[in-house]
Amino acid sequence: QPQLQESGPGLAKPSETLSLICTVSGDSVSSNSYYWGWIRQPPGKGLEWIGSMYYSGTTYYNPSLRSRVTISVDTSKNQISLKLSSVTAADTAVYYCARHVGYSDSGSYYWGWFDPWGQGTLVTVSS
Amino acid sequence: DIQMTQSPSTLSASVGDRVTITCRASQSISSWLAWYQQKPGKAPKLMIYKASSLESGVPSRFSGSGSGTEFTLTISSLQPDDFATYYCQQYNDYWTFGQGTKVEIK
């Protein structure tokens, strides 16, 4: 199983941009078998998918966050990055990166579950 | 968007109990459902995918069933390591999670 490790500032100020990096080891972000995703979890609450990206640049974003989210990949560093702009206290959460696993059905390929996950990193939005 | 609703939100049970968690989708998702286990301070762990396929290494006391809009996760004989929060996730249309079910010690 690959290992994923999130990193970045643990504190962001309201209205600024939150930036995180996920470093992947034991697999390649250029693999044509996987997307790479970000999921977040506010303290004491449930999980929310943020977005997923294929190494070629194809991305899917949660419609509720689309206007503020950018996910990109750096194949030379085997990293995926997340940028979330105009943050508020509601964006305070543990942010996870995860490998987004594909599956085939009726001759087409789709993107399904997340496995494995990084350990997560807490980002607090506060002035 | 597809909403996922889990019940109950909290479940109190004893070691050895048979435990069932329900996940309902707001529209049909065929069998495109996964289950995760999360322990405090840890990342979620994949347990089941495609509604009933057990992830490698997951104990056989875990099982999943259902299709369409109603799904269940069953633990046949609850073990001390199973006390955790469980989430369902649909992948029929985008990707959304249920709100979680906490399995606690009775």
Side-chain angles (χ1 to χ4, degrees), chain B residues 67-83:
Chain B
S67 66
T69 61
E70 187 152 335
F71 302 85
T72 59
L73 173 70
T74 299
I75 308 171
S76 61
S77 178
L78 197 64
Q79 297 302 301
D81 191 48
D82 302 337
F83 291 97

Side-chain angles (χ1 to χ4, degrees), chain A residues 39 41 45-47 49 60-61 66 96 100 103 105 111-115 117-118, chain B residues 32 34 36 38 41-44 46 49-50 55 87 89 91 94-95 97-99:
Chain A
I39 301 105
Q41 184 172 37
K45 297 188 177 180
L47 300 161
W49 168 73
Y60 292 100
Y61 295 133
R66 180 176 291 135
Y96 295 99
H100 198 165
Y103 64 98
D105 179 52
W111 306 100
W113 53 94
F114 299 93
D115 178 61
W117 298 52
Chain B
W32 307 131
Y36 300 85
Q38 186 180 34
K42 300 295 186 182
L46 177 70
Y49 59 94
K50 203 178 177 184
E55 172 68 353
Y87 292 92
Q89 175 233 322
Y91 47 94
Y94 285 94
W95 302 273
F97 294 86
Q99 82 279 15

Side-chain angles (χ1 to χ4, degrees), chain B residues 3-38:
Chain B
Q3 309 297 322
M4 306 300 293
T5 303
Q6 290 182 231
S7 60
S9 296
T10 305
L11 188 160
S12 298
S14 301
V15 173
D17 284 353
R18 181 181 181 87
V19 165
T20 298
I21 299 168
T22 298
C23 177
R24 290 186 173 87
S26 59
Q27 64 189 74
S28 177
I29 58 170
S30 185
S31 296
W32 307 131
L33 185 97
W35 288 97
Y36 300 85
Q37 177 192 68
Q38 186 180 34

Side-chain angles (χ1 to χ4, degrees), chain A residues 18-55:
Chain A
L18 174 163
S19 296
L20 296 174
I21 288 173
C22 174
T23 302
V24 178
S25 57
D27 199 352
S28 171
V29 298
S30 301
S31 169
N32 59 8
S33 298
Y34 304 108
Y35 269 56
W36 301 89
W38 288 94
I39 301 105
R40 70 180 182 178
Q41 184 172 37
K45 297 188 177 180
L47 300 161
E48 179 182 36
W49 168 73
I50 299 169
S52 296
M53 181 171 194
Y54 197 50
Y55 76 97

